[in-house]
Structure formats: structure tokens, C-alpha cells
Amino acid sequence: MTEPRFQRRKEDRPAEITAAALAAFAENGYAATRVDDVAKRAGVSKGLLYLYFKTKEELFKAVIRSFISPRIDALISNVEETELSAEEFLRGPFLEFACSIPKSPARVLLKLMVAEGPKHPDLIAWYWEHVVSRGITALRMLIQRGVKNGEFRESALDEFPQLLVTPIFFSLLWKLLFQPHSELDTDQFIGAHVDMVLTTIKAETA
Amino acid sequence: MTEPRFQRRKEDRPAEITAAALAAFAENGYAATRVDDVAKRAGVSKGLLYLYFKTKEELFKAVIRSFISPRIDALISNVEETELSAEEFLRGPFLEFACSIPKSPARVLLKLMVAEGPKHPDLIAWYWEHVVSRGITALRMLIQRGVKNGEFRESALDEFPQLLVTPIFFSLLWKLLFQPHSELDTDQFIGAHVDMVLTTIKAETA
DNA sequence: TATATTACTGACCAAGCAGTCAGTAAGGAA
DNA sequence: TTCCTTACTGACTGCTTGGTCAGTAATATA
């Protein structure tokens, strides 16, 4: 007659706890987040949480890893397999990806990385290896492909592919800090930047 | 004969405590910083610290305010009083300012703002009013001056002067996170960006 | 239905910390 | 030298919180 007090759902618990933790960390930061609060959000007791994650720190690392990996993997395989020209790719899938980031709920990850990253060197190392350096490499390949087939001329972008993504991070920071004070139309903002970059590096075709 | 156990230096204490707090907050973040630690770094007892700052939060706000104000004030009055052309100013004083930020020790302020800002709305409001909106306005004026006297053509920069400063913040983030993993030559990086922007907005002078 | 297994709970503890305050001593005034 | 003001100290406290573990109840098995 009585509802069971809980269900046993070994498979789903880690993902549920991780999602709850992302929300909590995003709201309060790592140090100010109470493990009890995470457990409550996940609808679980603190004891169970500690069954799946050895410490608060382990939980934090799991959060970062589980939310970032899928996105970057998608972009990179996209770059490698596309049949579009470099410019078409930059104006198409890349721009779409770039514009989606500041809107995604995962944008709070930047806050977490900045605030807590430096205290977890192995996390930074993982992030560098699996996300950043792979991303940079993919971008550089894309640009060089453009140079090789005469679409682009040689430019600072060859050395600094990061110049393409600066407005993404700026938009993230802006939204994180000044959301209520000022709207930034991130689509237009990022679009204008990509446009500017392409204008300067496009080989003359007149 | 015996050294006095302490000196009374009412005038200097606040600045000393503020400096110590910046170091401590930068290292550990706000929540993880112990007031005792700040006091120790400042060579002062915790009790004295609470004489000058009502709470830990007040101390935090004082830190941000006291380190940011002077820098932005200098830049803005510089823009207003310069006799250089817009391009000369951007390639000269502006570029110098931009390149100096990622090297300055105050770069950790970004970390603090991102991590803790959203929990202190009045701090964000102050920052918006005294730093960001003033800075944006100054930049916009500079660009419009360039447009008016025929140096620049109309462009997305008129609406988004922020496009000029994105690589500064990117450099800050990069250094904050990946300092040991990868060096970024921020001078060249920011220089390349400013160059790119100027190339696209410069009116034809051939 | 009886028994075994284990996912899960929640009360508990030891440690750490923001903020207080009664008392101390530096340094100026007389 | 003596007295007075106040900058300064540091022990103390009440509360918070990461992590533990003995016990409970949901499911699998026979």
C-alpha cells in the first residue's frame, strides 16, 4: 500500500548527481556548495553520493569532464569529415557552433574552470589535452587547408587560430557578468567578428 | 630596550590589508580564503582587520574597487585628451594598455569577478557603471571620431566597439588556465588582432 | 514465501572558521 | 613622568560542514 521510500537505480544515479552538482556549483561556486545541497537536488541522501564519488573534489572533476567531452568531440569530427570549403565551413557549422555556446546552459562551466581550475592541476591538464589542444589543432588544419587551395592568403591566423574564437569567450564573460545590465546580441557579435576575419584573410578573387 | 610589539599606523593599514587580501583571494578564491590568513599576510591580527572592514564581504568589495579604479580612469582620460588620430591612438596608447593587462598582477581580478561577482550584485553594478560602460563609451567615441574625419569607414565596430578588446580577455583566460601548458605571446596575439581590425575598417587611401 | 544481497538512508562527529570582545600597550598631551 | 585615548591583540564561541557508518529496505534469487 505504502509507496516505496526510494527506488534502486544504480545506472542512473551518477548522471543525476552530476547534473545536480553542475547546477549547484554554477550557482554557488565549488567551495560554497554544500554536498548536502547537491544530494538534495539529486533527490538522494548524502551517503549515497559518497558511494559513487569518493570526495567532493572527485565529484567536481566528474562534472567538468562529463559535460565538456561530447561537445568538443562533435565539433572536431565535424571538421575532419566535412566536404565544405574552408570558408563555407567557417560561415556554416563553425559559426553555428560558436553562436550556440553562449546560449547553452553549459556556459557556466567557464565560470567553474576559471574559479576552481587552477586548484586542480590534473583537471586543467585533462582539459588542455582533450579539449583545447585538439580544438586548436583542428582549427589550424582547417585554415591551412584554406591557404593550400588558394582560398586564404597567409596571415596571423596561421599562427594564432585562437583569433577566431575570442568573441565566444568574450560573450560568455559578458553574459556571466552583465546579463541583466546589458544585452549583447551574441549572434551578431560573433558573426561580425567572423566576417571581419574572413574579409582580411580571403585571397583576392576579383 | 624591547622592540615595540606593533606600531600604530592607522593610515596605511587599509591599503596593506587590501593588498594582502588580493593575494589571498587570487590564490584561493573568496570562499576558500580564511580571514585569519589575510590578516597574517598583512602582518596584523584578525581583530584589527575587522576594525577596518565590517565583514569578509566588505573586504572583498574593497579589494576589487581599489585595484580597478585607477587603471580605467587613466585610460579614459587618455582617450579624451589625446591629440592623436584614431588609428595612431589605437596603435599606440591603446595597444600598449591592452598588452599590459595580461601581464599585470591585477589579472587575477578577472578570476575573482567571474567566480564571485554574480553573488554580489551591487559590486557588479558598480563595476558596470564605473568601468565597463565608461570604457565602452570612450572606445565608441574614438571610433566615431575616426569615421567622422574619414579615417575609417562605417563598420560593425560602430555598434560593437567590444570587438576591439576580445583578445585581451582571451589572453587573460589563457594565462589563468594554461600558463604552464602553453605560452601565448600575448603582445603578438593582441597586436595581430588590432592590426586585423584596422585593416578591415580603414577607408581606402590609395 | 524465505533468504541473501546491496542500494540507500540519516544521525553523528571532528574540524574548521567568521566574527566578538575583554584586555593590552603605543604614543600623544599636559 | 603620568595620564588618557585608541590602535591593536588573540583567545574564545557558536555554527557550519565534509565525510563516516551502522542500520534499513528494495530487489534478485531460489
Side-chain angles (χ1 to χ4, degrees):
Chain A
M1 203 78 295
T2 51
E3 288 286 298
R5 301 228 326 269
F6 56 86
Q7 290 162 23
R8 313 172 117 213
R9 303 204 334 275
K10 192 183 159 122
E11 305 301 320
D12 303 331
R13 295 302 192 194
E16 291 172 11
I17 293 171
T18 287
L22 174 63
F25 286 147
E27 218 165 275
N28 308 314
Y30 175 79
T33 292
R34 309 294 141 219
V35 176
D36 250 329
D37 178 40
V38 174
K40 210 157 273 167
R41 287 183 198 231
V44 149
S45 73
K46 192 162 66 164
L48 184 65
L49 188 154
Y50 274 98
L51 204 75
Y52 291 110
F53 303 93
K54 261 214 273 297
T55 63
K56 188 185 177 188
E57 185 178 346
E58 281 305 316
L59 172 61
F60 174 69
K61 292 181 191 170
V63 168
I64 302 281
R65 282 194 260 260
S66 65
F67 285 89
I68 290 185
S69 269
R71 295 187 75 91
I72 190 75
D73 288 353
L75 179 71
I76 287 175
S77 62
N78 207 341
V79 171
E80 283 165 352
E81 293 162 18
T82 187
E83 309 210 337
L84 298 172
S85 77
E87 180 175 0
E88 283 166 349
F89 189 88
L90 287 176
R91 290 198 188 275
F94 172 80
L95 186 60
E96 196 182 1
F97 172 78
C99 290
S100 77
I101 295 183
K103 295 172 192 161
S104 124
R107 84 173 99 114
V108 293
L109 285 174
L110 178 70
K111 176 173 158 181
L112 284 178
M113 285 299 295
V114 170
E116 304 299 332
K119 258 180 287 181
H120 308 276
D122 50 330
L123 181 63
I124 294 273
W126 175 88
Y127 189 75
W128 170 257
E129 192 177 325
H130 288 80
V131 181
V132 181
S133 73
R134 284 171 66 211
I136 299 277
T137 306
L139 268 184
R140 185 174 275 129
M141 276 175 41
L142 183 71
I143 289 161
Q144 274 170 358
R145 205 164 73 207
V147 172
K148 282 229 174 75
N149 64 25
E151 273 184 279
F152 303 152
R153 55 184 185 71
E154 290 184 351
S155 71
L157 262 195
D158 304 340
E159 192 186 350
F160 299 124
Q162 297 100 317
L163 284 171
L164 262 170
V165 301
T166 55
I168 304 177
F169 291 91
F170 186 89
S171 301
L172 281 169
L173 290 176
W174 190 277
K175 277 196 130 77
L176 232 41
L177 294 175
F178 308 123
Q179 182 80 270
H181 292 274
S182 156
E183 280 302 323
L184 179 68
D185 184 333
T186 56
D187 284 6
Q188 275 210 254
F189 185 70
I190 297 171
H193 177 90
V194 170
D195 217 64
M196 191 171 71
V197 174
L198 282 171
T199 319
T200 48
I201 68 171
K202 239 196 301 192
E204 306 299 326
T205 15
Chain B
M1 207 77 295
T2 51
E3 288 284 295
R5 302 226 326 271
F6 56 85
Q7 290 162 22
R8 315 171 119 212
R9 306 206 330 278
K10 193 182 160 120
E11 306 302 321
D12 303 331
R13 295 304 192 193
E16 290 174 12
I17 293 172
T18 288
L22 174 63
F25 286 146
E27 218 165 276
N28 307 314
Y30 175 78
T33 292
R34 308 297 140 219
V35 175
D36 250 327
D37 180 39
V38 174
K40 209 159 273 165
R41 288 185 197 229
V44 149
S45 72
K46 191 161 65 164
L48 183 65
L49 190 156
Y50 274 98
L51 204 74
Y52 290 110
F53 303 94
K54 261 216 271 299
T55 64
K56 190 184 176 187
E57 186 178 343
E58 282 304 318
L59 172 62
F60 174 69
K61 293 181 191 170
V63 168
I64 302 281
R65 283 194 259 258
S66 65
F67 284 89
I68 290 186
S69 269
R71 295 186 75 92
I72 191 73
D73 288 352
L75 179 71
I76 287 176
S77 62
N78 208 341
V79 171
E80 284 166 352
E81 293 162 18
T82 187
E83 309 210 337
L84 299 173
S85 77
E87 179 174 1
E88 282 167 348
F89 189 88
L90 286 175
R91 290 200 188 276
F94 171 79
L95 186 60
E96 196 182 3
F97 173 78
C99 289
S100 77
I101 294 182
K103 296 173 191 160
S104 125
R107 82 174 101 115
V108 293
L109 285 173
L110 178 70
K111 176 172 158 183
L112 285 177
M113 284 300 295
V114 170
E116 305 299 333
K119 258 180 289 178
H120 308 275
D122 50 332
L123 181 63
I124 294 272
W126 175 89
Y127 189 75
W128 169 257
E129 192 178 326
H130 288 81
V131 181
V132 181
S133 72
R134 282 173 67 211
I136 300 278
T137 306
L139 268 184
R140 185 172 276 130
M141 276 175 41
L142 183 71
I143 290 161
Q144 275 172 358
R145 205 164 72 205
V147 173
K148 284 230 173 76
N149 65 24
E151 274 184 278
F152 303 151
R153 54 184 186 73
E154 289 184 352
S155 72
L157 261 196
D158 305 340
E159 193 185 349
F160 298 124
Q162 295 100 317
L163 284 171
L164 261 170
V165 302
T166 57
I168 304 177
F169 291 91
F170 187 89
S171 300
L172 281 169
L173 290 175
W174 190 276
K175 277 197 129 77
L176 230 41
L177 293 174
F178 307 123
Q179 182 81 269
H181 292 275
S182 158
E183 280 301 324
L184 179 68
D185 184 333
T186 55
D187 284 6
Q188 275 209 251
F189 185 71
I190 296 172
H193 178 89
V194 170
D195 218 63
M196 190 171 72
V197 173
L198 282 172
T199 318
T200 48
I201 67 170
K202 235 195 304 189
E204 306 299 325
T205 11

